[in-house]
Amino acid sequence: MNFAPSSEKPDNSRPAIEFDQLVRTFGKTTAVNRVSFKVFPGEVFGFIGPNGAGKTTSMKILSTLDTPDSGSAKVDGFCSVNDPERVRRRLGYMPDGFGAYANVTCEEYLDFFARSYGLRGKDRIHSLRNVMGFTQLDQIAQKPITGLSKGMKQRLCLGRALIHNPKVLVLDEPAAGLDPRARIELREMITALADDGKSLLISSHILTELAEMCDRVAIIEQGGLLAVGSVEDILSGDHQRSSEDTTGGQVVTESGQLVVQILGDAGAARSWIENELSLTVRITGNSLQFPFSGSAEDQAALLRKMVDSGIAVVSFSNKQRSLEDAFLHVTRGRVQ
């Protein structure tokens, strides 16, 4: 999915994005405190944290829109402070909101930015056609952007970030305010871009969306990076930790939960489990959830005993661990 001709060959041997001990203060507030992590070519990387945690500030520094007090942010090996022009040619930035222009159509808007990036002649036409086709804006090319829905505006903003065929995309809250269909379509586009070899750094408060898209995540709170890794690594304690991480590599206790769906009297089934295992069972409808740290063989033995005792088991499984579990595990609810 090549949006514009490029003479550069991808280099997968070095990070596409690199933060190294990044620090940014505003008066007495440290918005970003020694943040360090890397994102590699073709990777979808989630950047999560509460409001005011430092996500947008870090992204703006990477995108050459702000400067750090110390440390560095690099794109494809080039520093955002020392080589801003090289960074801008390699990076597409999608902010969480952008201004609309009266009497400007979708095609005119993207054409303006294509020209701003120095695309001329066939290269400009090629880029416009490919980006508008990919984002499905070709169907509304002549529509004024002031009349677009939220979903179409997000597509237009993504198209603007893609118009110069960057290696790296920085997306700040791209799914905010979108309806379910628009979110699904956005997720499909992000997956397609990663498959094309682009690196994506995405911030979002919609953790379920990130869990389905991201290869790895970084969790930040009060300016400090708490954890970097896959959801599974963070939940198991096998993740990159910083001095701000207070979890000590502990495993999330929720990982030892069983969920049993039954037919019939859930109260009677709960009583049987509590008497048999001496633990507390939570009921939701006909679903029973309770902690269980036994092996696979122990689970099989428990299931057999439940069936033999007359409990009609419909399903029996481990509770699926989520990005929300990881987020709640490493954060402490601190705000600046």
Side-chain angles (χ1 to χ4, degrees):
M1 194 178 300
N2 193 15
F3 295 101
S6 174
S7 59
E8 296 188 42
K9 294 183 179 180
D11 181 4
N12 294 328
S13 63
R14 65 182 178 187
I17 297 171
E18 183 174 6
F19 288 100
D20 185 14
Q21 295 295 307
L22 194 69
V23 175
R24 181 68 168 102
T25 60
F26 296 94
K28 295 182 179 180
T29 301
T30 302
V32 181
N33 187 13
R34 302 192 307 277
V35 166
S36 299
F37 63 84
K38 299 175 182 179
V39 182
F40 293 91
E43 187 173 27
V44 181
F45 193 97
F47 198 23
I48 64 177
N51 289 328
K55 304 185 300 297
T56 296
T57 299
S58 301
M59 288 178 156
K60 285 184 174 180
I61 293 172
L62 183 70
S63 304
T64 76
L65 300 176
D66 196 4
T67 55
D69 296 303
S70 62
S72 65
K74 295 180 180 179
V75 172
D76 198 28
F78 296 102
C79 178
S80 64
V81 174
N82 298 332
D83 294 293
E85 291 303 320
R86 287 189 174 95
V87 168
R88 290 167 190 159
R89 285 199 294 268
R90 291 163 171 78
L91 180 142
Y93 177 56
M94 180 179 173
D96 58 355
F98 72 105
Y101 301 89
N103 304 317
V104 176
T105 67
C106 294
E107 185 174 19
E108 290 170 339
Y109 180 83
L110 292 178
D111 183 62
F112 170 80
F113 283 98
R115 294 174 187 270
S116 298
Y117 278 108
L119 297 177
R120 298 290 183 267
K122 292 181 179 179
D123 287 353
R124 179 175 59 84
I125 294 172
H126 176 89
S127 182
L128 278 171
R129 286 177 178 173
N130 278 275
V131 168
M132 294 187 73
F134 176 71
T135 57
Q136 296 182 4
L137 291 170
D138 51 351
Q139 304 173 29
I140 55 171
Q142 303 309 314
K143 186 173 183 177
I145 66 176
T146 51
L148 297 181
S149 66
K150 174 67 174 179
M152 286 296 110
K153 284 182 178 179
Q154 290 296 82
R155 286 175 180 268
L156 184 64
C157 196
L158 178 60
R160 184 185 69 179
L162 285 170
I163 199 68
H164 59 301
N165 192 27
K167 294 182 176 181
V168 170
L169 288 167
V170 176
L171 313 182
D172 194 359
E173 298 289 344
L178 298 185
D179 61 51
R181 175 176 290 276
R183 286 179 182 173
I184 292 170
E185 292 171 346
L186 176 65
R187 186 167 66 241
E188 291 173 348
M189 286 190 286
I190 288 172
T191 301
L193 291 168
D195 290 343
D196 195 47
K198 298 186 185 301
S199 304
L200 296 99
L201 177 63
I202 306 173
S203 76
S204 179
H205 291 117
I206 307 171
L207 301 187
T208 52
E209 292 291 326
L210 285 182
E212 295 178 6
M213 291 187 293
C214 295
D215 302 297
R216 291 187 300 138
V217 298
I219 300 176
I220 187 173
E221 185 177 43
Q222 208 173 29
L225 195 66
L226 300 183
V228 179
S230 68
V231 174
E232 292 77 12
D233 288 342
I234 293 173
L235 288 169
S236 67
D238 186 23
H239 60 273
Q240 176 187 330
R241 292 180 290 274
S242 72
S243 59
E244 299 292 327
D245 185 358
T246 59
T247 66
Q250 299 173 8
V251 177
V252 181
T253 56
E254 190 81 336
S255 63
Q257 295 277 321
L258 282 179
V259 179
V260 181
Q261 189 80 20
I262 68 164
L263 291 176
D265 186 358
R270 177 175 63 180
S271 297
W272 184 92
I273 295 171
E274 289 179 340
N275 291 332
E276 189 73 22
L277 303 178
S278 299
L279 46 76
T280 301
V281 179
R282 187 167 70 227
I283 294 181
T284 304
N286 278 53
S287 178
L288 309 174
Q289 182 175 322
F290 52 92
F292 191 83
S293 58
S295 64
E297 289 77 11
D298 294 331
Q299 291 185 31
L302 175 61
L303 175 59
R304 185 167 51 251
K305 290 180 69 174
M306 292 179 71
V307 173
D308 290 344
S309 67
I311 299 174
V313 178
V314 176
S315 65
F316 185 98
S317 63
N318 289 299
K319 181 180 184 294
Q320 294 298 312
R321 299 178 296 176
S322 67
L323 184 54
E324 286 93 340
D325 295 329
F327 181 77
L328 292 174
H329 180 52
V330 301
T331 60
R332 294 293 179 267
R334 298 174 297 180
V335 295
Q336 304 212 74

